[in-house]
Amino acid sequence: MDSLLIKGGVPLHGEVSVSGAKNAVLPIMAATLLTPEKCVIRHVPDLTDVGFMAKILASLGARVSVDGDTVTVQAAKLKPVGDYELIRKMRGSICILGPLLGRQRQATVSLPGGCIIGTRPIDLHLKGMRDLGASVTVEGGYVNVRARRLIGCDLFLGGRAGPTVLGTANVMMAAVLAEGVTTIESAACEPEVVDLAYFLNKMGAKILGAGSPTITVTGVKQLHGVEHEVIPDRIEAATFAIAAAATDGEVILHGARPDHMHAVLDKLKEAGVKVVRKGLTLTVTRGGRLKPVDVTTLPYSGFPTDVQAQMMVLMALTPGLGIITERIFESRFMHVSELARLGAEIAIEGPSAIVKGGRKLSGAPVMASDLRASAALVIAGLAAQGTTQVNRIYHLDRGYEKIDQKLRGLGARIQRIAQE
Ligand code: EPZ
């Protein structure tokens, strides 16, 4: 298991390119199961999650090839059941359920286990499948969905924490080959959902309203192969922007989509961070004394929960009191105790973390618990005096392409070490 060794205190300087979006490419790779024809996906990030999805598609009978940042998939013939162990390991793989049900009217996938950031049920996914006419059973750790016919309908997909991103993706992918019109109310509006709808429409689907809470899908008989370039990763871009401000450096982000990042960029400006936008390029500098801000995570276009941990580090470095409230996942504060090891002062009160900022951070060995918590620990290590060792970085490799190389390109003293 690899770790990262970070010698902190160096302001980041330089240019970095934003990779393709993990949370767009996973459902788009799953969508290739909807056609027997070849699909070519470009700007695909080199991540362990992408590798997992490629293996899962292959275990279902698809031919998959990866050439640099291009993934080609042809699912000419499909098996009803995929690799249990692989699917169980990666929560995102649940989004093969909709395409399999849509294409072959049946699917059996392993139930995704709990996750450290929350219970993360899939009841809304299954509700959507049932509303479309499928029977759903859960047995022996498997979810089985079957339908003689899938019939379009009006369905509501809002839950305890609002819309569901992968639930919207799954139901949309089941509905594209259904009979008639499906209207999804309280749909997720994330840019990754819009990119998936764009991909499906290029395959011949008829989807309207993606990006709004009401999505309409008119079923078609079949879909064809396409070529598609995935959108840039707004969460990776936000992570580098916060790292630039946290280290008092200057970073130029190339190939970002600022129009997908309004809530984050607005909050950074409120905190005193200087963000200059030129087309798809963002230049981020600290821009003087930072101010504490309050942040509440919300569904898109609100502040993303996937940037909560990174923003908490910036607030830990900022003199004054900042309150960070997590409204999407019930236990997404695993990074708090690790940040305390670096000297941060953070108290948890229910869904909120009260950050008493401005204390100098000093390096220490810390443990990554999940993807975004590990990114936060890396930023804290870069800003801290001394050496920080971030362990269990397999979490990081799931969602950040070559992050240590990219950071070294910005002058960071960071190296990957293999641990027994
Ligand atoms: C997607 O997860 C992302 N993952 C997550 O990113 C992201 O945090 C999340 O959306 C929210 O933005 C991928 O796209 C692969 P949800 P998803 O269904 O779709 C509850 C990262 O770091 N819920 O929108 O699984 C759920 O428990 C990851 O890259 C139900 O109650 O999230 C949560 O509280 C982490 N029932 C809320 O809704 C359901 O059936 C939002 O979850 C489904 C969800």
Side-chain angles (χ1 to χ4, degrees), residues 22-24 26-27 49 91-95 115 117-127 159-168 188 190 192 234-235 298-300 304-306 327-330 332 370-372 398-399:
K22 167 181 82 81
N23 292 347
L26 295 179
D49 274 12
R91 287 196 56 80
S93 61
I94 190 66
C95 60
C115 165
I117 66 176
T119 50
R120 303 184 75 177
I122 58 163
D123 55 314
L124 297 169
H125 300 235
L126 303 182
K127 174 182 180 292
R160 178 193 56 77
T164 161
V165 176
L166 288 180
T168 302
E190 271 69 2
E192 295 77 25
R234 61 193 169 100
I235 308 296
L298 292 166
Y300 191 86
T305 172
D306 297 346
R327 289 271 178 238
I328 306 295
F329 292 107
E330 60 274 23
R332 201 170 201 178
D370 61 84
L371 169 56
R372 307 304 170 182
R398 287 191 39 233

Side-chain angles (χ1 to χ4, degrees), residues 6 39 83 95 105 109 115 130 174 176 179 213 217 235 259 272 352 362 377 400 411:
I6 306 168
C39 297
D83 181 309
C95 60
R105 301 291 188 258
V109 299
C115 165
R130 277 198 197 92
V176 286
E179 297 165 39
V217 184
I235 308 296
D259 57 319
S352 297
S362 56
L377 296 177
Y400 290 91

Side-chain angles (χ1 to χ4, degrees), residues 10-214:
V10 179
L12 297 180
H13 276 284
E15 310 188 19
V16 66
S17 295
V18 178
S19 301
K22 167 181 82 81
N23 292 347
V25 78
L26 295 179
I28 285 174
M29 285 174 74
T32 63
L33 297 171
L34 284 161
T35 177
E37 296 181 15
K38 189 167 80 173
C39 297
V40 178
I41 310 166
R42 300 187 199 291
H43 201 212
V44 175
D46 174 12
L47 305 171
T48 48
D49 274 12
V50 169
F52 269 134
M53 185 56 94
K55 287 195 190 118
I56 289 168
L57 298 181
S59 77
L60 286 160
R63 245 203 346 247
V64 186
S65 64
V66 181
D67 175 12
D69 69 352
T70 299
V71 172
T72 304
V73 183
Q74 177 148 23
K77 278 207 169 41
L78 284 180
K79 297 180 197 154
V81 183
D83 181 309
Y84 181 96
E85 269 317 304
L86 276 175
I87 295 171
R88 201 178 56 73
K89 277 210 192 103
M90 181 178 71
R91 287 196 56 80
S93 61
I94 190 66
C95 60
I96 65 173
L97 196 64
L100 289 176
L101 179 65
R103 166 110 177 252
Q104 51 183 23
R105 301 291 188 258
Q106 61 157 353
T108 298
V109 299
S110 44
L111 201 62
C115 165
I116 201 156
I117 66 176
T119 50
R120 303 184 75 177
I122 58 163
D123 55 314
L124 297 169
H125 300 235
L126 303 182
K127 174 182 180 292
M129 307 294 167
R130 277 198 197 92
D131 289 352
L132 287 169
S135 67
V136 177
T137 56
V138 177
E139 217 177 310
Y142 280 95
V143 184
N144 310 293
V145 289
R146 255 162 235 298
R148 222 165 35 74
R149 296 170 63 195
L150 284 177
I151 300 170
C153 64
D154 296 350
L155 56 89
F156 181 79
L157 220 49
R160 178 193 56 77
T164 161
V165 176
L166 288 180
T168 302
N170 245 335
V171 173
M172 210 162 56
M173 290 192 277
V176 286
L177 293 175
E179 297 165 39
V181 179
T182 301
T183 303
I184 306 174
E185 288 297 349
S186 188
C189 306
E190 271 69 2
E192 295 77 25
V193 171
V194 177
D195 201 26
L196 172 65
Y198 182 41
F199 179 77
L200 292 167
N201 280 346
K202 282 205 278 188
M203 293 172 88
K206 291 191 177 138
I207 301 171
L208 296 172
S212 82
T214 304

Side-chain angles (χ1 to χ4, degrees), residues 295 308 323-327 329-330 333 348-353:
V295 172
Q308 175 254 97
I323 298 177
I324 307 232
T325 302
E326 175 57 54
R327 289 271 178 238
F329 292 107
E330 60 274 23
F333 284 147
I348 297 179
E349 284 294 330
S352 297

Side-chain angles (χ1 to χ4, degrees), residues 173-368:
M173 290 192 277
V176 286
L177 293 175
E179 297 165 39
V181 179
T182 301
T183 303
I184 306 174
E185 288 297 349
S186 188
C189 306
E190 271 69 2
E192 295 77 25
V193 171
V194 177
D195 201 26
L196 172 65
Y198 182 41
F199 179 77
L200 292 167
N201 280 346
K202 282 205 278 188
M203 293 172 88
K206 291 191 177 138
I207 301 171
L208 296 172
S212 82
T214 304
I215 293 178
T216 307
V217 184
T218 304
V220 296
K221 287 262 172 300
Q222 62 195 12
L223 297 172
H224 52 76
V226 280
E227 300 210 4
H228 181 74
E229 176 160 328
V230 173
I231 56 172
D233 197 317
R234 61 193 169 100
I235 308 296
E236 184 201 25
T239 302
F240 277 96
I242 291 172
T247 60
D248 199 4
E250 173 163 326
V251 171
I252 301 175
L253 290 160
H254 291 294
R257 281 282 302 265
D259 57 319
H260 292 167
M261 302 171 67
H262 288 303
V264 172
L265 298 180
D266 186 62
K267 209 34 94 172
L268 288 178
K269 280 183 201 153
E270 189 190 331
V273 177
K274 195 155 163 262
V275 180
V276 178
R277 185 181 158 168
K278 228 200 223 127
L280 298 183
T281 295
L282 286 173
T283 303
V284 183
T285 51
R286 185 180 282 187
R289 196 176 157 77
L290 292 176
K291 293 190 290 287
V293 294
D294 296 341
V295 172
T296 298
T297 66
L298 292 166
Y300 191 86
S301 60
F303 192 95
T305 172
D306 297 346
V307 184
Q308 175 254 97
Q310 302 91 314
M311 197 65 190
M312 190 182 287
V313 174
L314 193 64
M315 288 303 103
L317 296 162
T318 303
L321 209 63
I323 298 177
I324 307 232
T325 302
E326 175 57 54
R327 289 271 178 238
I328 306 295
F329 292 107
E330 60 274 23
S331 46
R332 201 170 201 178
F333 284 147
M334 302 299 287
H335 39 284
V336 170
S337 52
E338 295 306 300
L339 289 174
R341 294 172 60 79
L342 299 171
E345 202 176 334
I346 305 165
I348 297 179
E349 284 294 330
S352 297
I354 296 146
V355 185
K356 292 196 187 114
R359 294 179 62 163
K360 287 245 167 301
L361 301 185
S362 56
V366 289
M367 188 73 78

